[in-house]
Amino acid sequence: MTTITLGKNQYGKAEVRVVRVTRDTARHEIEDLNVTSQLRGDFADAHFTGDNANVVATDTQKNTVYAFAKDGIGSPEEYLLRLGRHFTGEFDWVTGGRWEADQYTWERIDVDGQGHDHSFVRGGTETRTALVEIDGEQTTIIAGLTDLKVLKSTESGFVGYPKDRYTTLKETTDRILATSVTAKWRYNRNDLDFNAAFADVRRLLLEAFSANYSYALQNTLHDMAAAVLEAHDEIDEIRFSTPNSHHFVVDLSPFGLENPNEVFYAADRPYGLIEASFLREGADADHRVWDGVAGFC
């Protein structure tokens, strides 16, 4: 008979929506997370013999997500660290796992120029993300964001690229550069003020996107990564996945009108997809934490 062994495996409860309202005063605060918990460890018997003695029910994992929210969330990274340490400490056979969260932003509704105490509107275009992986004694944290929509209306061009018989794109030194940024960065420490770090990284990304002339989106990603890595020595690596949101100048000449880069049509597909990782010198370029991340980042 063929001998079968069990390879990498994990299991848990995916996409647990938990909303925590802090109502200690009349001015409430909202934290809104979508949490996934996945455990790793000694689960061979469950696969081979149907013995569930080591299987912490996914429903139990869901309930733990809710119960831990009672004590507050603070930051998604800190919250996931608490969950991971609980599962690896409570059950001897759970040797590690992955805990991920998307955090949705709510902003206060303005009423007569003041933010309302307990009425909110979904804010921003992006979603904050966090991932904690525990593997034995090693804990790795990845923070990030998705769908951060940015656009610069000039100071961008694209020239000097190779051309063959299939090339129709015209060179330009003045174009719209727009994208929806997914960025994830890997910390080398876990004793941080994660909310402050996230806010500063987001600020640096936006400032660097705006600061320099862009010769290509690749060039701008380098500028964004450099700003983050130079300012934050607790970050070893940052990765980007950035679809080009193409804006094409509309030909108004049939109507007897000129169009000096004023009227565009935005094409949603096909689109260029630019992805890259940037690391500080000496950092692990193939860290195993990325193995379970879908796509490039």
Side-chain angles (χ1 to χ4, degrees), residues 75-278:
S75 74
E77 293 87 353
E78 292 166 333
Y79 179 64
L80 297 180
L81 278 170
R82 287 171 53 212
L83 286 171
R85 289 166 177 165
H86 165 76
F87 286 114
T88 56
E90 183 77 7
F91 306 100
D92 293 341
W93 59 89
V94 177
T95 58
R98 294 173 72 90
W99 293 268
E100 302 180 59
D102 295 333
Q103 183 174 44
Y104 308 112
T105 302
W106 292 91
E107 297 175 352
R108 297 187 185 279
I109 295 175
D110 278 345
V111 178
D112 297 328
Q114 299 292 326
H116 197 275
D117 282 347
H118 55 262
S119 294
F120 302 84
V121 60
R122 274 288 294 270
T125 64
E126 80 272 14
T127 298
R128 179 176 174 178
T129 63
L131 181 151
V132 169
E133 179 173 272
I134 298 177
D135 185 4
E137 298 299 316
Q138 184 174 355
T139 299
T140 305
I141 300 173
I142 294 176
L145 50 80
T146 63
D147 205 24
L148 178 65
K149 291 182 169 60
V150 292
L151 179 151
K152 59 197 304 183
S153 55
T154 190
E155 291 295 307
S156 173
F158 190 52
V159 301
Y161 46 89
K163 303 169 185 67
D164 66 7
R165 58 180 173 165
Y166 301 116
T167 303
T168 59
L169 184 69
K170 304 299 183 183
E171 292 192 351
T172 180
T173 58
D174 186 6
R175 65 170 183 171
I176 285 178
L177 177 66
T179 186
S180 178
V181 177
T182 293
K184 294 185 179 179
W185 51 94
R186 177 167 55 87
Y187 290 113
N188 54 40
R189 295 166 41 199
N190 56 29
D191 56 341
L192 302 170
D193 181 339
F194 292 104
N195 283 339
F198 175 85
D200 195 55
V201 169
R202 183 184 185 277
R203 174 187 66 83
L204 290 167
L205 292 174
L206 293 175
E207 289 181 357
F209 176 82
S210 308
N212 302 320
Y213 183 90
S214 175
Y215 296 95
L217 185 49
Q218 290 92 330
N219 174 231
T220 297
L221 293 184
H222 168 266
D223 291 346
M224 295 164 72
V228 171
L229 294 176
E230 288 170 5
H232 289 273
D233 59 8
E234 74 276 15
I235 295 175
D236 274 351
E237 178 182 9
I238 183 166
R239 292 190 173 195
F240 297 97
S241 181
T242 48
N244 251 322
S245 299
H246 295 299
H247 289 67
F248 298 105
V249 177
V250 178
D251 180 9
L252 299 180
S253 61
F255 320 120
L257 300 173
E258 295 183 354
N259 187 10
N261 280 3
E262 293 175 335
V263 180
F264 300 82
Y265 70 91
D268 65 344
R269 63 194 65 182
Y271 52 84
L273 179 59
I274 315 303
E275 298 177 313
S277 62
F278 299 89

Side-chain angles (χ1 to χ4, degrees), residues 13-22 29-37 61-76 79-80 82-83 99-106 122 128:
K13 187 68 85 176
E15 300 199 47
V16 180
R17 285 299 304 273
V18 55
V19 177
R20 173 62 156 88
V21 180
T22 301
E29 305 287 342
I30 287 185
E31 296 164 296
D32 185 351
L33 269 64
N34 189 33
V35 179
T36 293
S37 170
Q61 295 180 54
K62 175 202 70 178
N63 292 339
T64 307
V65 168
Y66 292 136
F68 272 46
K70 178 65 174 67
D71 293 330
I73 289 174
S75 74
Y79 179 64
L80 297 180
R82 287 171 53 212
L83 286 171
W99 293 268
E100 302 180 59
D102 295 333
Q103 183 174 44
Y104 308 112
T105 302
W106 292 91
R122 274 288 294 270
R128 179 176 174 178

